[in-house]
Amino acid sequence: MPDPLLRVQSQLTDRDLVLLGWLADHGVLTSFQVAEALYPSVDYAQERLRALTRKLGVVDRFRPQKPDGGSYPYHYVLTQLGVEVVAAQRGDDLPRRDQARRRRWHLTRRANLPHLLGVNGFFTALAGHARTHPGSALVRWWPAGRCQQMGAFAEPDDDIAVRVYQPRSRPDGHGIWAVRDRRVPFFLEYDLGTERPLSRLVDKIDGYRDLAHVTGRIWPVLFWLHSPARERHLHQELAATGTIYPVATAVHAEVTGINPAEAVWWLNRHHGAPMRLADLPAAGSGAEQTT
């Protein structure tokens, strides 16, 4: 009987493998997030997702119910076969036989699933922008856990202090956004407005300042906020505390068609117009700027 892993590998496209890698790293994506990031239409994406689910068996799906009735779009996760495909592609050890089942159980029961989906939606929106705008690229997309590992932001030439440093910062994600020869590494703080007072958001800047002191890399912190009022109050709090670390804010709710790559970012202590992500200030390894 053919090995299922060998059978399915020959039927997966490069785009399929990108999706499976994202699900391995970031847990769960909705059908609309997958479509925006990787496909020219929702119908095309749904057709391929059905094949990956029913025919190839590398992803599974669930559909949470809305509290006021109805249901959300399908949410996609890896099956055990999908986990094994990613491990083989990356040269990792064979995963535990129940790894996919345990992870699905965790994802479908976590209270902060909306927060995770919001974070992932930020990055899939960037990937979708890059797909339709030649010269743009989401060069890096890291989940929260990877950002907290010892030496996470060390480069090969860094000294031992950087390689053993345990970050105090706890971003919801980290990425590098590139437009032609301009690269902006950034940290994402995704805010639903219900779980943290503004003072706690401002206090988080200390961890990024400490990271910059150790590594010499000053990368902007992006606060992706749920309302204009919260954005306004956060800037007031930043001004009151004299924060000079680069912080930029934008609103992800109550606005239709907004994309984080566009000129939607209000930079702290900058009195001009909103800025594109690619134009935000960044210094240190990984950041490049045209002269």
Side-chain angles (χ1 to χ4, degrees):
M1 182 175 180
D3 185 321
L5 179 59
L6 296 178
R7 174 186 59 80
V8 77
Q9 282 180 318
S10 64
Q11 302 179 64
L12 294 171
T13 67
D14 290 343
R15 180 162 47 189
D16 295 336
L17 294 174
V18 169
L19 173 59
L20 298 185
W22 283 352
L23 291 175
D25 292 336
H26 308 290
V28 58
L29 294 169
T30 70
S31 55
F32 292 116
Q33 289 172 343
V34 173
E36 179 177 29
L38 294 172
Y39 290 90
S41 72
V42 174
D43 288 344
Y44 190 2
Q46 290 176 335
E47 180 182 356
R48 186 57 182 169
L49 286 168
R50 282 193 292 270
L52 294 174
T53 304
R54 300 172 182 174
K55 178 182 176 183
L56 301 180
V58 291
V59 299
D60 202 352
R61 65 186 187 181
F62 63 95
R63 199 169 195 174
Q65 299 299 306
K66 294 182 178 179
D68 55 351
S71 58
Y72 290 101
Y74 279 116
H75 293 39
Y76 287 85
V77 296
L78 289 180
T79 62
Q80 185 64 26
L81 180 57
V83 171
E84 293 173 2
V85 168
V86 174
Q89 288 291 319
R90 295 177 174 179
D92 295 339
D93 293 336
L94 189 67
R96 291 176 47 169
R97 294 180 61 86
D98 64 346
Q99 182 171 323
R101 180 182 61 81
R102 292 169 64 88
R103 194 174 194 196
R104 173 173 173 156
W105 186 93
H106 173 70
L107 288 168
T108 56
R109 286 160 177 79
R110 61 185 291 169
N112 62 343
L113 180 59
H115 183 271
L116 175 62
L117 288 170
V119 172
N120 290 350
F122 176 95
F123 285 96
T124 54
L126 286 179
H129 187 92
R131 180 177 57 80
T132 56
H133 292 74
S136 302
L138 180 58
V139 178
R140 177 187 291 173
W141 173 12
W142 284 3
R146 183 165 180 178
C147 299
Q148 295 159 19
Q149 296 174 0
M150 183 175 67
F153 299 101
E155 301 287 347
D157 295 335
D158 284 334
D159 62 28
I160 188 65
V162 180
R163 286 185 275 125
V164 302
Y165 175 71
Q166 184 78 47
R168 290 176 49 209
S169 55
R170 300 178 66 86
D172 293 317
H174 161 63
I176 298 178
W177 178 245
V179 176
R180 296 182 175 83
D181 53 357
R182 169 72 170 157
R183 293 162 60 97
V184 177
F186 63 86
F187 300 105
L188 176 66
E189 293 284 348
Y190 182 84
D191 179 61
L192 292 173
T194 56
E195 71 278 13
R196 292 179 289 192
L198 287 173
S199 59
R200 288 190 61 190
L201 298 187
V202 175
D203 289 344
K204 291 172 71 70
I205 303 301
D206 287 341
Y208 296 107
R209 188 182 296 111
D210 188 62
L211 176 64
H213 176 74
V214 172
T215 64
R217 289 148 207 160
I218 306 174
W219 298 341
V221 179
L222 310 183
F223 284 96
W224 194 229
L225 302 163
H226 87 292
S227 74
R230 190 158 171 88
E231 181 179 37
R232 182 172 63 254
H233 294 152
L234 177 57
H235 278 279
Q236 292 170 351
E237 191 80 14
L238 292 168
T241 56
T243 300
I244 61 172
Y245 191 91
V247 172
T249 66
V251 176
H252 60 77
E254 302 178 356
V255 179
T256 58
I258 188 173
N259 189 285
E262 297 170 350
V264 298
W265 295 100
W266 292 98
L267 181 64
N268 183 44
R269 301 170 67 91
H270 175 75
H271 302 294
M275 302 174 69
R276 297 186 310 158
L277 177 54
D279 295 328
L280 293 176
S285 180
E288 299 176 9
Q289 185 173 0
T290 57
T291 56

